[in-house]
Amino acid sequence: MQETRLRLHLALGAARMSIWDATVVGNDVTEGVISWSSDGAGLVGLTPVEQQQSFRDFLGLVHRDDRGYLVERMQRRVDQCASYHFEYRVLLPDGVVRWIGCRGMPVCEDGMPVRTLGLVWDDSGRKQQETQLFEQKELAEVTLGSIGDGVVATDSRGRVRFMNRVAEELTSWNAEQAEGIDVAHVVRLVDEADGHDIENPVHLCLRERSAVSVSSHAQLLARDGRRMAIEDSSAPIWSRDGAVLGAVVVLHDVTHERKLTNQLSWQAAHDPLTGLINRRAFEVAVADALRSAKDDGHHHALLYLDLDRFKIINDTCGHGAGDLLLQTLSRLLQQHMRESDVLARLGGDELGEILSFCPLPRALALANELRQAVRDFRFVWNERVFEIGVSIGMVEISEQSKSMTELLVAADQACYMAKEQGRNRVHVYRESDAMLLRRQGEMQWVARLTEALEKNQFRLFSQPIVPLDGGEPGHQEVLLRIASAGAPDGDGLILPGAFIPAAERYDLMVPLDRWVVTHVCRHIRDQSRKPHQGPRSMYSVNLSGLSLGDEGMLAHINAEIEACGVDPGQLCFEITETAVIANLPKAQAFIASLRTLGCHFSLDDFGSGLSSFAYLRTLPVDYLKIDGLFIRGIAGNDVNRALVKAINEVGHVMGIRTVAEYVEDGATLAAVRGLGIDYAQGYAVGQPRQLS
């Protein structure tokens, strides 16, 4: 008997299993007692010695999400006097979760269960492998489902095993219907010249055991009778021992491109990155459309598309990400085009499209469909998710159109207006467009701003930033105005909304920022010479994105602090989230240098960017100013309230104080105070006043 027990112990040890032995009292498994061997006790996190434990105490070791499941399964099988096999989790003392596999059966006497007897083992390794395999499968399916080409996988005999969504659309075959069918019937290829069948590349690939490509004159004959020019390549799928498991075929619709090659060679007419026609070929197409409009009275539409926030992705993720984004979006736009439409890459992130034989109302609807398709798209790069928008300028091509050059200029100007109006929209060009006239008028601001700098016509105002818990002193944001007797608001002041856009466009923001820094430092110096009561005030100074990248701005700030004897702790520089992201490396160095002196930093308009929390970890700022877009109406908007709550909690976890902008009424003030925001700024707590 002793030898038998030893053999059993050694066998269980080799199998890494332990015995489960538990009594059943009154037909209730939870009233029983478990007798643990030393290794069984250690398996569930107890001291590894032989011991007994009540079933209820054992449940305390089980993961709370699995307790009900474990009791229900065991009790049901005990009631039936039937064997059981399932898995559950235990929580070890060090916080590690371990998967336990169990297999056993009740011991019944006279039809009544008296105990349960079986085996338990650590199943964590298998569960981890199972999870990894599932994740890999999901990743592969999502990847194949999201690319712009059709993908079909077969077994070693050329029978379909998998099709992605694009392949289904191209062939008109449903993946379930096609499974097990010879790929030659699903992906039927014919010669575009004579209509004769072409040998399917999968069969050729499997026969020759190497990658192959289809004829350059191949067409795909879909199940519904559609024909489309196709580029096709197939490659074998190998096992580790060198056997061919099957093949994969990639289908790319090149109908549009093949038509263009009848006029121009591929090298001369196409963008090598996206495969779209280039500016030169696009200008030819615009000229053809204009000729059609003048000769035959047809109406077409010219679209100029500029991707919103493309530069952020290109700068922060690298040109590889930018290139992939352009390729993916090009395919996305092509999927939403009609066969007669023409899409081109004009340079950088700018695209052009001709909507042929398309009246203006229909063209506007199609343009908005393109805009929405881009808006709905999510670009993923290194676990970061980016939202992309597109600003579209549109101009009608009609008998009244003058020249190809003027059409392109008009479309470009209309695109500019779409960006000016808030981006991610379509703007139709009009000769009498008041906004275009305003753009021309902005050129006058160059001289006006230069004069204001030379004659010291700027004025500084400040608006209080008030603590909501009373625990810390408030500070104030510095605001800029221009003194002018002819100001539109009648009080002799021109607000920044009138001149900042022109200053940004014509590279005048850096001189303006330097002027503000100089005069704020002088104001602090003058205030320090007066009899002082209470703590010194801190001043928040806005800096533009251009100033963050300016070589001399850092030296200018240091010089003014030293010249005026300013305590650096009285200066807080406000920088917008988008400006930081656009100049991330320089912004990090800029912030680090001034924080070493003792200056503070505030991240303005937080939450308006694409990946706010991801960038926040890399920026050592003291304050987060939550974008007013989320603050306005927060008292009655549950979504905005949830967003602001999340931003506030993340900020506090990172040791950053939060500021709610645009707190304009009592209800909003009560809402942000209730969420635990540290500071409020807006008319509800203080209006702007001129610095004395």
Side-chain angles (χ1 to χ4, degrees), residues 489-503:
D489 56 7
D491 62 0
L493 295 172
I494 300 175
L495 299 180
F499 61 84
I500 290 297

Side-chain angles (χ1 to χ4, degrees), residues 250-272:
V250 179
L251 308 171
H252 179 53
D253 184 355
V254 293
T255 302
H256 185 61
E257 290 88 340
R258 199 166 289 175
K259 288 181 179 179
L260 291 174
T261 56
N262 295 329
Q263 303 172 20
L264 300 168
S265 68
W266 179 266
Q267 293 79 6
H270 289 79
D271 169 52

Side-chain angles (χ1 to χ4, degrees), residues 131-406:
T131 300
Q132 291 174 345
L133 287 173
F134 177 77
E135 290 175 350
Q136 291 172 2
K137 177 177 177 293
E138 286 293 300
L139 177 61
E141 290 187 357
V142 169
T143 302
L144 291 174
S146 63
I147 63 176
D149 293 336
V151 178
V152 181
T154 76
D155 61 15
S156 60
R157 297 174 61 184
R159 295 173 300 192
V160 173
R161 295 179 57 190
F162 169 83
M163 297 177 67
N164 71 349
R165 178 184 55 81
V166 178
E168 290 180 323
E169 293 174 356
L170 291 175
T171 63
S172 296
W173 278 83
N174 179 278
E176 294 180 358
Q177 297 172 333
E179 187 171 359
I181 297 177
D182 192 300
V183 68
H185 295 297
V186 178
V187 182
R188 185 180 173 188
L189 302 176
V190 297
D191 191 293
E192 66 180 2
D194 55 23
H196 290 145
D197 285 344
I198 298 174
E199 181 181 15
N200 194 281
V202 169
H203 291 306
L204 183 60
C205 156
L206 292 173
R207 187 170 64 250
E208 297 186 358
R209 299 169 62 88
S210 64
V212 297
S213 297
V214 78
S215 164
S216 60
H217 302 291
Q219 283 186 326
L220 174 67
L221 181 57
R223 192 181 188 188
D224 59 6
R226 290 180 296 117
R227 289 174 180 258
M228 63 207 77
I230 206 78
E231 284 184 352
D232 185 347
S233 62
S234 183
I237 303 172
W238 300 92
S239 69
R240 290 185 177 180
D241 59 4
V244 175
L245 301 177
V248 61
V249 58
V250 179
L251 308 171
H252 179 53
D253 184 355
V254 293
T255 302
H256 185 61
E257 290 88 340
R258 199 166 289 175
K259 288 181 179 179
L260 291 174
T261 56
N262 295 329
Q263 303 172 20
L264 300 168
S265 68
W266 179 266
Q267 293 79 6
H270 289 79
D271 169 52
L273 176 65
T274 62
L276 303 176
I277 64 170
N278 58 21
R279 177 179 286 273
R280 176 182 173 186
F282 187 70
E283 290 176 353
V284 173
V286 173
D288 289 342
L290 179 60
R291 190 179 305 109
S292 165
K294 289 188 174 295
D295 294 347
D296 303 318
H298 295 144
H299 286 256
H300 315 286
L302 170 61
L303 274 57
Y304 194 100
L305 302 86
D306 193 314
L307 299 179
D308 300 330
R309 301 192 179 264
F310 173 81
K311 187 177 186 298
I312 293 176
I313 296 175
N314 216 31
D315 290 349
T316 58
C317 299
H319 292 290
D323 289 348
L324 178 60
L325 174 59
L326 285 173
Q327 291 171 330
T328 307
L329 283 179
S330 298
R331 292 172 180 166
L332 174 68
L333 292 172
Q334 286 175 307
Q335 292 174 7
H336 289 79
M337 289 169 52
R338 303 171 306 162
E339 187 175 353
S340 59
D341 296 338
V342 178
L343 181 65
R345 184 186 181 197
L346 305 182
D349 60 340
E350 298 167 350
L351 304 173
E353 184 168 352
I354 300 173
L355 302 178
S356 303
F357 309 105
C358 192
L360 195 59
R362 175 59 178 155
L364 184 58
L366 291 174
N368 273 304
E369 289 179 13
L370 293 174
R371 180 192 60 79
Q372 190 61 45
V374 176
R375 181 63 175 169
D376 293 340
F377 171 74
R378 297 295 181 270
F379 180 67
V380 181
W381 183 266
N382 288 341
E383 299 182 355
R384 298 178 184 175
V385 181
F386 297 89
E387 294 182 6
I388 310 297
V390 62
S391 299
I392 303 177
M394 178 188 295
V395 60
E396 185 179 27
I397 304 176
S398 67
E399 297 178 37
Q400 287 74 40
S401 300
K402 297 177 182 179
S403 69
M404 179 269 293
T405 301
E406 290 191 9

Side-chain angles (χ1 to χ4, degrees), residues 458-471:
F458 288 102
R459 299 292 180 266
L460 293 180
F461 281 66
S462 69
Q463 186 174 25
I465 300 174
V466 179
L468 296 180
D469 58 3

